[in-house]
Amino acid sequence: MEKQLQPSDYLLGRKTFEIFAAYWPEHGEFWPAINERTKYVLSTTMNKSDWKNSVFLNNVDDIKKVKASEGADLQVHGSGELVQTLFKHDLVDDLWLKIFPVTLHNGKRLFGEGTIPAAFILTESAVMPSGVIFANYKRAGKVETGTIGV
């Protein structure tokens, strides 16, 4: 779970960015890094913001350039449509899932149509007293079918 707390930059979809930009600049004491680190925003409709350290990307090729560059890791928070795009273009290296023991009717799918098959290996997990499960997975190459390992 420590890696989640390490300095990183953020890759956000436009909708999540708008929600964050309306709140975090005035509440940075609760998450100081969010204001100081770079926020990369995938959007075809926005190209500027008053929130400092915001950089706008137009397409998947722009994401690939940022991902290939030297610098901090990229974390995605929320941004369901962006996550779908990342899965479709095989741009996910790690999954940091928080699984809550509730159902909320219809929700968004994590693995939607167009997701490229990929294998991940569990690297860390924890169960909170409330039942929330934190599970970190790292990319483990292509999917191999066979028996379930115990």
Side-chain angles (χ1 to χ4, degrees), residues 1-4 76 87 92-101 110-111 120-128 131-139:
M1 304 304 131
E2 282 185 36
K3 187 170 182 177
Q4 292 183 36
V76 178
F87 277 123
V92 177
D93 297 321
D94 298 288
L95 292 172
W96 301 348
L97 302 178
K98 296 173 188 80
I99 304 163
F100 293 82
L110 178 59
F111 308 108
F120 290 84
I121 186 167
L122 182 67
T123 58
E124 200 173 0
S125 64
V127 179
M128 302 297 108
V132 175
I133 300 170
F134 289 78
N136 294 355
Y137 296 88
K138 184 154 194 68
R139 182 65 190 269

Side-chain angles (χ1 to χ4, degrees), residues 8-47:
S8 67
D9 290 334
Y10 305 99
L11 177 60
L12 304 169
R14 181 195 47 82
K15 294 174 191 172
T16 301
F17 176 81
E18 287 177 337
I19 293 166
F20 279 26
Y23 181 80
W24 286 113
E26 303 301 321
H27 299 89
E29 66 274 11
F30 300 109
W31 188 6
I34 194 68
N35 288 320
E36 302 308 317
R37 303 301 299 197
T38 302
K39 280 81 59 189
Y40 294 98
V41 186
L42 181 63
S43 177
T44 58
T45 59
M46 286 182 77
N47 59 15

